[in-house]
Amino acid sequence: MTVITAPALASAHEAVADGTPASAPPRSSPPRPEPERVHRIRDDAEALQVARQLAAEFATGAAERDHQRRLPWDELQRWSESGLGGMTVPRRFGGAQVSCLTLAEVFVTLCAADPALGQIPQNHFALLGVLREAGSQAQQQRFYAEALDGLRLGNAGPERKSAEAPTILRGGPKLVPREDGGLTLNGQRFYSTGALFAHRIPTRALDAKGRPVQAWVPADAPGVQVIDDWDAFGQRTTASGSVRFDQVQVDPEDVLPLWRLAERPGLYGPVSQLIQAAIDQGIAQAALADALVYVRERARPWVDSGLERASDDPHLIAEVGRLQITLHAAHELLREAASTLDELAASALDAEGRWTPLSAEASAHASVTVAQAKVMTTRAALAASEQLFELAGSSATRLSRHLDRHWRNARVHTLHDPVRWKLQLIGNHHLNGVLPARHSWN
């Protein structure tokens, strides 16, 4: 287990042979990108082009990073300099304000190359969505500028189940007023994807009145500890471990009133879920692509087939056809959901580009549409990553091939927001007219 404290930060560059994190040398807090090196994305087309360029770079070494659990520090610095971190910043704050459709395609592209590295920015964009709907003008001006300068956000996510935190929405850190007018944050979080690599670590907390708020804590603030204790068998290099806050002083100007979002129907939850679905789609596409290459180049035809090439086996051909249909359907539902969010977002902006609340029905429509995509991308990722071995044969299971990473990644990431509750949400809405609850997981 590697413990990272501010201002000294330890990374997990080194790993032992079985992939368990080894003790790492001291490292300063994540370096801030030099502003002059950070590109400014101009529009949707450029965001997609940059994503494709990065994906080509990140695909090289992705299998080894997974096998060795080598955390992608250098790759994330390159990501920051690419300017993608500021691509969703509204135009009135100097950003490209790319569409949800572009955001989804960027994640599909990056996650098809390396889904763990591609997942790391998920909370960055989800948090920028919360800022759009809950932040003040001054907060938006300041935090959006940081995103345009290449600074990364990493959420201190939900805590593990305990007596103090029996559900995701209950328990967690407390934000207590001080006599000098400031605030003090104490508590712990887990499932903190991106926090290890972040310059700010926003976390959900309860204020003095017991209301949920979000404190955008600088990663190098005294009392912040990021603990690299993520040991899942998939998505291994996301470093989605623990964050502790011990008497951390927080500026009241760095606190967003999450409790107000319960009263304001919006899109921050559906946008967050759209990103999760896009990650699964990327995993599915990578698994099928590797399966096709393996069947063409390495697999042997079954002895009873009488064929010279495995790629001529009619059973394998039919299975590839079925998988392709599943992946195509999932991708189309993802794109449809993203386009729906874009239409609703356009209707929520006033003449000056400021966010206004949606109707409860519109917000519900967004959640239901994205849930449908999430169900299908989950099925696509699991099917493609498992059927890979059915198509490729037993030789594909050798550790040296690194093909198991697709199933491990799919199995771990698709547990993010259970599909059984997506199905319940969809069915309950269509059958009984029930509007989904509004939170980050819907």
Side-chain angles (χ1 to χ4, degrees), residues 85-345:
M87 66 179 173
T88 61
V89 171
R91 293 188 189 92
R92 69 192 187 99
F93 293 104
Q97 194 175 317
V98 304
S99 66
C100 288
L101 181 57
T102 293
L103 178 64
E105 291 295 351
V106 165
F107 270 88
V108 171
T109 301
L110 293 176
C111 290
D114 183 342
L117 175 53
Q119 184 190 349
I120 288 169
Q122 72 173 43
N123 287 320
H124 175 95
F125 291 106
L127 290 160
L128 291 180
V130 172
L131 178 65
R132 177 177 67 171
E133 298 187 32
S136 67
Q137 174 84 7
Q139 288 171 328
Q140 291 174 345
Q141 187 76 48
R142 189 156 47 94
F143 294 142
Y144 282 141
E146 292 182 358
L148 291 171
D149 284 342
L151 272 63
R152 299 186 295 270
L153 300 171
N155 183 37
E159 182 51 275
R160 286 173 286 196
K161 182 180 178 181
S162 66
E164 294 75 25
T167 70
I168 289 177
L169 295 175
R170 293 173 59 190
K174 303 293 193 300
L175 202 56
V176 180
R178 300 195 309 271
E179 292 183 359
D180 63 2
L183 300 166
T184 299
L185 180 66
N186 285 290
Q188 178 168 323
R189 287 292 193 183
F190 194 64
Y191 301 111
S192 302
T193 303
L196 185 70
F197 312 105
H199 302 98
R200 279 191 185 271
I201 307 177
T203 185
R204 180 188 178 93
L206 297 178
D207 67 9
K209 297 181 179 180
R211 301 174 301 186
V213 295
Q214 193 174 73
W216 285 44
V217 182
D220 58 359
V224 175
Q225 287 186 327
V226 184
I227 305 167
D228 185 15
D229 56 355
W230 179 246
D231 61 355
F233 59 71
Q235 297 297 87
R236 301 181 71 232
T237 59
T238 59
S240 302
S242 300
V243 180
R244 292 176 183 167
F245 303 97
D246 183 14
Q247 296 294 312
V248 177
Q249 297 188 23
V250 176
D251 187 332
E253 295 301 315
D254 289 350
V255 179
L256 274 62
L258 283 186
W259 55 273
R260 288 181 179 166
L261 292 181
E263 306 166 358
R264 299 176 181 173
L267 295 180
Y268 75 97
V271 168
S272 178
Q273 289 299 295
L274 183 77
I275 295 171
Q276 306 298 346
I279 293 169
D280 294 333
Q281 182 67 24
I283 294 173
Q285 293 182 185
L288 181 56
D290 275 359
L292 297 182
V293 170
Y294 202 93
V295 170
R296 293 190 193 110
E297 298 180 359
R298 294 181 178 274
R300 294 185 298 188
W302 182 239
V303 64
D304 294 333
S305 70
L307 299 170
E308 293 295 325
R309 302 185 309 173
S311 58
D312 291 330
D313 184 328
H315 302 291
L316 296 186
I317 291 172
E319 187 56 39
V320 168
R322 280 190 286 269
L323 284 174
Q324 183 58 47
I325 292 170
T326 299
L327 266 65
H328 181 72
H331 202 175
E332 287 304 306
L333 278 175
L334 179 71
R335 293 175 59 83
E336 178 184 320
S339 296
T340 295
L341 298 191
D342 286 329
E343 293 173 5
L344 294 173

